[in-house]
Amino acid sequence: MAGPFTRRPDWLTGFDLPDAPTGAVMALDLGPAGLWAARIVDGAAVAADTESRIHPGVLDARIAGYLRDTGRVEVADDAVFAALMTVAAHAREALADRDTALVMGGEGLRLVTVTIDDVVEATVPEANRAHGMIVELAGPLPVDAVLLGPGLDDWPGLWEALTERGFSALMPGDRFPETFGGDDAPTDLLDAVPPQPEVRAWDNSGQNAALVDPADYGLDRFGNTIDVYRDEAADEPATRGAEAEGGDDDSGESAPGMRGRMIVAAAVTLLAVGGGGVALALNANVRSGPEATSTKAREADGAAAMTPTSTLEHINSSVSPADLAAARAPMAKYTTPPPPPPPKPTSTRTAVPKTGPEPQAPTTHRRRTIPNPIPGFPPIVIG
């Protein structure tokens, strides 16, 4: 319904409003008649409404009830609650320019502390109603800003409540917020992205040549190991595939055949036979040379100290014959030494205490003294 301030309020001159806002500009003010809300167009209120159920007395009752329900203040009867409402009224006036107020109350309340957060929590129903009035008057337009009138100094915490609900609450002198004035057409940022084709490192990706040739690493284009050998006639690397076995293969890939396995088996056989022959020849040469002759002579000289063996051994000439004889000598057995002889018995003497009269205790003679009347002198001995 229409209420006071249906025409241009004087306090709107303190705001710097844009000439063509993109959304709705709202105004709020609190007076004795209630909470007034209006939509401002070209500096005038084109639509207004007043909520008579929201006034300073209701705010005091909300704050007093919050302090009582949260246990901050003990309320025994109606007289204490009325005194607490008076404390809430003084706290609202003090919270206009600060965050905490300390108020002395009657009826045994003493000091009561009220914060801006207490007022915000206590007046949630009234803040929700103010939110609804703003949305109803704005209609389908978005709310660019909410202008707060001077009467809202009696409602501390309304600016915080509107800000928490997403509104731009402005006081006189505040800069008008920048708003979005473009279209609401959806963008293509969330459209599905088509899948990209799979490209291997050695495949041709568009205009780019292959980066890696798999044949250089013994692999086919799928990464499988291939058997590579060298053609003896052309002296060039070749791939043994289906052509080597007498067939045609259009894929160009090779597979192992019988010829490759025969070549590998022959190479292994030659290595085994050749290695064994070389080892036998070297062993025979070592055993039949002059080194073997000198070794046999040294063995004949030390035959008495060595254990005879039935096999011929190759001894390195750098080893000393004396060391060999000592090493081949029979191992000496450890003999346990005889136990030590038992200790000789010794005669023990028992000390016999001497008998005689006990010594007399020394007698002490106690002297009697009296204090010296002269300060600083020792006491006087009288006996």
Side-chain angles (χ1 to χ4, degrees):
M1 64 179 180
F5 310 121
T6 54
R7 292 182 292 179
R8 177 187 176 95
D10 297 336
W11 52 267
L12 287 179
T13 57
F15 295 91
D16 186 11
L17 303 180
D19 296 336
T22 59
V25 178
M26 309 302 299
L28 288 178
D29 198 5
L30 183 64
L35 179 65
W36 173 80
R39 178 183 171 189
I40 306 302
V41 178
D42 296 334
V46 297
D49 191 8
T50 302
E51 179 56 73
S52 59
R53 293 173 295 181
I54 300 177
H55 53 81
V58 174
L59 299 180
D60 296 338
R62 290 288 190 186
I63 297 172
Y66 177 80
L67 297 176
R68 178 196 59 190
D69 296 340
T70 57
R72 300 274 296 279
V73 179
E74 295 182 2
V75 178
D77 49 22
D78 295 341
V80 177
F81 187 78
L84 187 58
M85 289 184 60
T86 303
V87 171
H90 293 303
R92 284 192 302 104
E93 298 176 359
L95 291 175
D97 55 355
R98 67 190 66 179
D99 294 336
T100 304
L102 186 62
V103 183
M104 174 68 75
E107 298 294 336
L109 292 178
R110 299 182 180 179
L111 292 176
V112 179
T113 303
V114 183
T115 64
I116 193 71
D117 294 334
D118 296 336
V119 179
V120 172
E121 295 294 335
T123 58
V124 168
E126 286 69 28
N128 291 339
R129 178 53 186 151
H131 184 173
M133 295 174 66
I134 293 172
V135 174
E136 291 172 2
L137 294 174
L141 296 177
V143 178
D144 289 347
V146 179
L147 312 180
L148 302 182
L152 291 175
D153 291 342
D154 295 334
W155 189 352
L158 179 60
W159 184 92
E160 289 79 4
L162 295 177
T163 303
E164 290 179 356
R165 287 165 172 78
F167 295 109
S168 297
L170 303 182
M171 302 293 290
D174 292 343
R175 182 180 178 183
F176 198 86
E178 297 181 359
T179 57
F180 175 73
D183 57 0
D184 295 333
T187 61
D188 299 335
L189 297 178
L190 301 180
D191 293 347
V193 179
Q196 299 295 329
E198 182 180 1
V199 178
R200 296 185 178 88
W202 50 78
D203 292 339
N204 292 332
S205 57
Q207 300 178 356
N208 299 327
L211 302 178
V212 179
D213 188 2
D216 297 339
Y217 301 93
L219 304 175
D220 59 8
R221 63 189 182 92
F222 297 105
N224 301 322
T225 305
I226 59 176
D227 195 2
V228 180
Y229 69 96
R230 181 170 296 276
D231 192 353
E232 298 177 358
D235 195 16
E236 293 180 356
T239 302
R240 184 171 68 251
E243 294 84 2
E245 297 180 0
D248 295 335
D249 189 358
D250 296 336
S251 62
E253 300 177 7
S254 60
M258 184 60 69
R259 180 179 179 183
R261 290 193 290 270
M262 293 177 64
I263 292 175
V264 173
V268 173
T269 304
L270 289 176
L271 288 176
V273 175
V278 171
L280 291 175
L282 291 176
N283 192 16
N285 186 20
V286 170
R287 292 178 183 272
S288 61
E291 183 180 355
T293 304
S294 61
T295 303
K296 291 179 180 180
R298 288 193 296 270
E299 291 178 355
D301 296 337
M306 292 188 300
T307 302
T309 57
S310 58
T311 58
L312 180 63
E313 298 181 1
H314 170 66
I315 305 301
N316 191 356
S317 59
S318 61
V319 180
S320 174
D323 295 340
L324 291 176
R328 292 177 177 177
M331 181 176 61
K333 296 184 178 180
Y334 174 77
T335 303
T336 306
K344 296 180 179 181
T346 57
S347 60
T348 59
R349 297 181 180 179
T350 305
V352 179
K354 295 181 180 181
T355 60
E358 296 181 358
Q360 296 181 357
T363 59
T364 59
H365 180 71
R366 184 176 180 183
R367 297 186 303 175
R368 292 179 296 175
T369 60
I370 60 175
N372 197 326
I374 301 175
F377 287 85
I380 301 173
V381 178
I382 61 176

